[in-house]
Amino acid sequence: MLVQPIMDNASLAGAFEEIATLKELQGEDGFRSQAYRNTARRLETLTQDAAELVRTGTIKDQISSLGKSQLEVLGQLVSQGSSDLLNDLRARTPPGHLQMLKIAGIGPKKVRALFQELGVTTLPELASACETGKVAALKGFGAKTQAKILEGIAFVTTSGQRVRLDQALFLATALLTRVREFPGVSRAELAGSVRRRRETVKDIDIVATAESPTELIAAFVSWPGVRSIAGQGETKASVVLEAESSTGRLSLGGRLTINADLRVVSPSQFPFALNYFTGSKEHNVLLRQRAQARGWRLNEYELEGHTEICTDEADIYKALGLAYVEPEMREGTGEDSAAEAGKLPSLVKSSDIRGVFHNHTTASDGADTLEAMALAARELGLEYLGIGDHSQSLTVANGLTPDRVRQQWNEIDALNARLKGITLLKGTECDILPDGSLDFDDALLAGFDYVVASVHTHFGQTREEMTERICRALEHPMVTMLGHATGRLLLRRDAYAVDLEAVMKTAARTGTMIEINANPMRLDLDWVHCRRARELGVLLVINPDAHSREELAYFTHGVDVARRAWLTAAEVYNTKSVQEVLADLALRRKQQPV
Ligand code: DGT
Ligand code: CA
Ligand code: ZN
């Protein structure tokens, strides 16, 4: 049963984003599709309810660039929940063409060429065209591109079933609220990989108690957003949810489908069911073995043989001789012995974060001005906001020339003199050039409070070249932290080839921080390497890489990664106060030969 979606700003933005992509696939000129994409950005950052502005005919006051056709699309989306243009574009575009866009190195032009020259409409067809050498023979492709496409297909098809955590969490939280508000429900929690905050998830798992399980199940399978029912029983249901996917700078927009499972249990079963369905499987095995060693049996409903009552998960851990293990650490990687020895770390929390360093403004490729970003950071409760706009050679992102850098410093000084409750820091996201040198000279670099160094070009270098390149940058005395260490885009682009172990060891030796890039499309470092970095003694820093006011809040996704990596507040640089950070940054600069 498809219930009409509520057209909030994010859904409207998603529809515009999708129209832009589909128009490009149809070969319409770039300018017109870009206009739709620009509107998507504006809708996303609009603070008023766009649907309401459309209804009252005042939307053009907020988005002056809207033309006649875009206004018509908006009008239809708001009044009918769908748009003729979007429906028409969807009908004319093979779904396989959208999937092809997820392959790194393939854009709309290449998809069109493959379709027109070879009639390719699906990923399997594309794979066989590559395998028979037809793609390499096409103008503008070649053997190298063909090999890359094959790799990309393998990547997209193996990862394609999973959904990014931020998107799943958004839907899961809304669903959980509905479950909790349902009459007769006394307890309900998210379980599974969503609760453990894995970076991608297969489905949403919810565990609940209810006075009438059948009524809750019947309601659950008919809620808005449910596209179909995958299974329905007395105490369990599984549905397929469909929603507009969130937009954001690195996403493709479009539709998102994900399964959601609800399990209804009795109040006495609840802690056991929650624990079991939170997993991970590996963690469950560890717990079951501990129960067995005590002569008990642990399953999803009870701890058989144990006589004391368990009302929540902590009681179960206690019964097994363990301290409570936070869900993020339940991956079967030694958390049970640490819990037994009382050696579990006290994990960093979002409320510990007092500032962020890697953020963009309209000076480079951000959507908001310096002042708007500063006010939003203050609103979020941050004490300091570091600005890290792009450097000069990254012209595609409007990188700053030295002159523009100095101009921004003046603006920062002026804002710092004027604004209360937030301190702006002068930083840069300085490109690491292919040979490992930096995009600004030392004299200019010395004027920043700190430097984030990142790789944005020449991803195709060999593993040795890339490792040397990054390590050379880390050796540079003015580099404070390494940005998005591997360049990966979740479910879309693999990390570039790089020896991270060597990079982390170099960072540990030079005292350079490594960023946990918290953009939910990156999460780079990932939690596994992050935990290794901690072991090696690398100081980590969580950065949202915000390109708009809204994206400042991304740092919470980085906190999730840090928690999965067992990090405490002391091991994350930006839990320091503004005074501590200013003192530390000044000290770091003093130790540099200028
Ligand atoms: P995913 O793949 O992102 O959905 O990851 P999970 O961990 O949410 O996996 P899921 O949804 O298949 O199952 C939820 C939890 O239920 C899982 O973390 C542990 C538990 N579970 C499911 N199947 C088994 C099993 O065969 N053995 C054990 N020990 N636990 C299981
Ligand atoms: Ca799951
Ligand atoms: Zn970057």
Side-chain angles (χ1 to χ4, degrees):
M1 170 172 155
L2 180 64
V3 180
Q4 184 159 313
I6 303 155
M7 278 293 161
D8 57 14
N9 291 7
S11 310
L12 291 170
F16 270 72
E17 183 84 31
E18 192 180 353
I19 290 174
T21 306
L22 293 171
K23 274 178 170 289
E24 281 162 7
L25 285 171
Q26 291 296 330
E28 284 196 25
D29 76 62
F31 182 71
R32 287 178 52 194
S33 49
Q34 192 55 40
Y36 278 83
R37 189 155 278 133
N38 292 342
T39 303
R41 288 294 98 77
R42 289 287 299 120
L43 285 165
E44 248 172 30
T45 53
L46 201 64
T47 45
Q48 299 108 311
D49 180 27
E52 191 53 38
L53 297 176
V54 170
R55 274 184 224 109
T56 54
T58 53
I59 186 77
K60 257 192 91 112
D61 300 344
Q62 298 302 321
I63 311 179
S64 54
S65 56
L66 287 174
K68 190 162 155 269
S69 48
Q70 291 200 30
L71 279 171
E72 191 182 328
V73 170
L74 268 177
Q76 289 181 352
L77 285 171
V78 169
S79 62
Q80 309 159 18
S82 69
S83 135
D84 293 342
L85 175 65
L86 180 54
N87 291 340
D88 176 57
L89 284 165
R90 276 183 186 158
R92 284 195 285 144
T93 314
H97 284 180
L98 274 173
Q99 286 175 300
M100 285 176 206
L101 286 181
K102 292 187 182 160
I103 299 171
I106 291 203
K109 279 210 183 95
K110 284 214 162 71
V111 174
R112 279 178 58 71
L114 290 163
F115 178 58
Q116 284 165 347
E117 304 293 324
L118 305 172
V120 167
T121 58
T122 65
L123 287 185
E125 282 170 17
L126 179 56
S128 78
C130 287
E131 277 151 7
T132 52
K134 286 183 193 147
V135 172
L138 287 184
K139 199 173 148 233
F141 284 78
K144 241 185 165 173
T145 308
Q146 177 172 279
K148 283 211 121 172
I149 292 177
L150 265 180
E151 263 174 44
I153 294 172
F155 186 70
V156 168
T157 44
T158 50
S159 64
Q161 320 305 334
R162 299 185 72 82
V163 171
R164 280 193 343 249
L165 175 64
D166 61 307
Q167 302 192 312
L169 196 56
F170 180 75
L171 294 173
T173 312
L175 205 54
L176 178 67
T177 305
R178 277 180 183 275
V179 171
R180 284 186 173 158
E181 285 170 356
F182 193 78
V185 170
S186 52
R187 296 178 85 175
E189 295 290 344
L190 297 177
S193 50
V194 174
R195 182 164 181 236
R196 302 197 315 279
R197 300 290 195 267
R198 272 198 66 175
E199 54 203 11
T200 65
V201 304
K202 178 194 68 193
D203 59 9
I204 294 168
D205 300 283
I206 296 180
V207 180
T209 65
E211 275 166 22
S212 168
T214 34
E215 279 174 35
L216 175 60
I217 295 282
F220 178 76
V221 300
S222 66
W223 277 336
V226 172
R227 191 186 68 183
S228 60
I229 303 171
Q232 183 177 358
E234 299 271 300
T235 58
K236 192 197 150 177
S238 182
V239 297
V240 182
L241 296 179
E242 189 175 66
E244 298 297 338
S245 73
S246 71
T247 53
R249 202 176 42 91
L250 300 172
S251 83
L252 299 166
R255 300 235 136 189
L256 171 76
T257 48
I258 183 170
N259 271 54
D261 292 354
L262 171 67
R263 292 178 181 84
V264 189
V265 297
S266 73
S268 68
Q269 292 168 342
F270 184 82
F272 298 100
L274 176 62
N275 187 248
Y276 179 87
F277 291 111
T278 296
S280 66
K281 262 181 209 165
E282 293 73 14
H283 179 76
N284 290 355
V285 169
L286 295 177
L287 294 190
R288 244 185 347 251
Q289 286 167 348
R290 287 190 176 260
Q292 259 161 18
R294 287 169 162 71
W296 304 328
R297 283 185 50 176
L298 178 66
N299 59 39
E300 62 263 57
Y301 305 118
E302 60 180 338
L303 183 53
E304 216 183 297
H306 175 69
T307 47
E308 280 162 56
I309 290 172
C310 292
T311 50
D312 48 42
E313 281 189 312
D315 297 334
I316 305 176
Y317 287 97
K318 197 167 161 213
L320 298 175
L322 304 174
Y324 177 72
V325 180
E326 301 275 3
E328 293 91 333
M329 285 188 282
R330 300 184 195 169
E331 293 295 337
T333 56
E335 66 274 20
D336 61 327
S337 25
E340 183 170 43
K343 291 202 168 129
L344 284 174
S346 165
L347 299 180
V348 60
K349 304 181 298 293
S350 284
S351 55
D352 294 328
I353 301 297
R354 299 167 81 165
V356 287
F357 294 93
H358 175 182
N359 305 290
H360 300 265
T361 71
T362 44
S364 65
D365 60 348
D368 287 304
T369 61
L370 201 54
E371 177 160 8
M373 292 292 280
L375 296 178
R378 189 173 68 183
E379 191 72 19
L380 272 178
L382 299 178
E383 292 174 21
Y384 49 97
L385 173 71
I387 300 302
D389 273 313
H390 288 291
S391 58
Q392 56 188 350
S393 77
L394 205 65
T395 47
V396 288
N398 193 20
L400 274 63
T401 58
D403 278 346
R404 294 179 59 219
V405 165
R406 288 187 206 97
Q407 191 186 324
Q408 188 177 61
W409 289 347
N410 290 335
E411 286 170 37
I412 289 178
D413 288 337
L415 276 170
N416 275 339
R418 182 154 63 81
L419 295 180
K420 298 260 171 318
I422 184 84
T423 303
L424 290 171
L425 303 178
K426 296 169 189 163
T428 170
E429 184 184 18
C430 187
D431 257 59
I432 304 176
L433 302 177
D435 66 354
S437 63
L438 295 178
D439 195 20
F440 286 136
D441 64 32
D442 290 1
L444 188 72
L445 289 175
F448 289 103
D449 291 322
Y450 65 93
V451 174
V452 185
S454 304
V455 165
H456 292 115
T457 61
H458 298 79
F459 286 6
Q461 286 183 330
T462 65
R463 185 177 153 97
E464 289 67 36
E465 284 167 345
M466 187 61 87
T467 307
E468 249 187 71
R469 174 184 181 183
I470 295 177
C471 289
R472 188 176 160 206
L474 293 176
E475 299 277 0
H476 194 296
M478 303 214 183
V479 171
T480 323
M481 55 186 80
L482 173 66
H484 44 70
T486 78
R488 74 163 175 177
L489 293 180
L490 276 172
L491 306 177
R492 269 178 64 200
R493 182 176 77 201
D494 250 329
Y496 36 66
V498 61
D499 180 354
L500 268 186
E501 181 76 11
V503 166
M504 294 190 290
K505 282 186 174 147
T506 304
R509 179 168 48 73
T510 58
T512 316
M513 293 174 230
I514 296 186
E515 155 185 286
I516 299 174
N517 188 297
N519 183 314
M521 277 146 266
R522 292 191 185 269
L523 302 184
D524 181 11
L525 287 184
D526 64 36
W527 66 278
V528 175
H529 288 105
C530 191
R531 193 158 161 202
R532 177 69 184 143
R534 172 191 193 243
E535 263 172 34
L536 291 170
V538 177
L539 184 56
L540 292 139
V541 52
I542 296 172
N543 280 322
D545 195 357
H547 284 70
S548 68
R549 283 170 290 176
E550 289 74 16
E551 291 182 4
L552 283 169
Y554 277 171
F555 74 81
T556 59
H557 301 300
V559 173
D560 287 339
V561 173
R563 290 171 64 87
R564 287 177 62 77
W566 296 36
L567 292 181
T568 62
E571 291 161 326
V572 176
Y573 187 68
N574 42 338
T575 59
K576 289 185 192 296
S577 70
V578 64
Q579 292 83 3
E580 288 171 310
V581 162
L582 285 171
D584 179 78
L585 291 175
L587 197 67
R588 284 170 180 261
R589 308 204 78 70
K590 247 198 228 139
Q591 289 161 354
Q592 295 162 2
V594 179

